[in-house]
Each structure stands twice: as structure tokens, then as C-alpha cells.
Amino acid sequence: MIAQGVAARMAWARSDLIQRLDRLDEAGRLDLMFEACVETGGSFIPHSPAPGDATFAEIDCLGIYHSGDDMPEAIAGWIKAVRRTLTTSEEAAA
């Protein structure tokens, strides 16, 4: 029973975040995703071209991880991963 409540709250938080991200331009998306990662204990690791630094941009937020060549690509991939997760969860509940 408790696990279902947690899962429902996570699904709501993910859905809410992607709806807010969808309404923003690239700079706004970067800011909001950074804030969401900080607030939820996630990770926001930008790509750095310096030798020895992160090869990819990485996001881990609300239990969903994605990476990309740069942060806008990582955010777009994270949104797609969340949508797939939400769709799978809805299908399983039906």
C-alpha cells in the first residue's frame, strides 16, 4: 500500500516536471532541471570538453537517468525516458 503511494507521487512529480520543462526555452530548461536535481538529491553533470572531465552530460532526477552529448540533449532524452516510464506504468495499471 505504501509502495503504491510512493510510486504515484513519483509519477506525479515526473509528470509535473516534464510539463513545466515543455513550456520553457533551452535556458529555462537548464535552470529548472538543475533546480529539480538539487531539490531531489539528483545529479546534474554538464559535459566538459577539458581532458579528463565528464565525456557526456548526465542527469539523474526522480529516479530516471539519462546522458547526452550536451545538457540540452540529456534533458530531451530524460523527458523521453520519463514519458516511456509513465506510459508503461499506465499500461500496467490498466
Side-chain angles (χ1 to χ4, degrees), residues 4-26:
Q4 290 175 341
V6 171
R9 280 183 261 157
M10 288 292 285
W12 178 87
R14 291 170 181 158
S15 179
D16 179 63
L17 182 54
I18 62 172
Q19 287 176 25
R20 292 187 297 149
L21 288 166
D22 281 342
R23 293 189 297 260
L24 298 173
D25 62 6
E26 186 176 300

Side-chain angles (χ1 to χ4, degrees), residues 18-76:
I18 62 172
Q19 287 176 25
R20 292 187 297 149
L21 288 166
D22 281 342
R23 293 189 297 260
L24 298 173
D25 62 6
E26 186 176 300
R29 280 182 164 200
L30 292 170
D31 289 342
L32 180 57
M33 183 57 83
F34 177 78
E35 290 172 17
C37 288
V38 169
E39 290 174 1
T40 63
S43 299
F44 185 94
I45 305 168
H47 165 73
S48 174
D53 285 350
T55 304
F56 297 102
E58 300 177 69
I59 295 171
D60 188 352
C61 187
L62 296 168
I64 303 290
Y65 170 86
H66 213 281
S67 64
D69 289 334
D70 56 22
M71 196 50 75
E73 182 179 298
I75 292 171

Side-chain angles (χ1 to χ4, degrees), residues 11 14 63-64 78-91:
R14 291 170 181 158
I64 303 290
W78 185 89
I79 291 169
K80 288 177 187 175
V82 169
R83 286 194 171 117
R84 282 191 302 269
T85 301
L86 292 172
T87 300
T88 302
S89 297
E90 291 169 1
E91 290 172 355

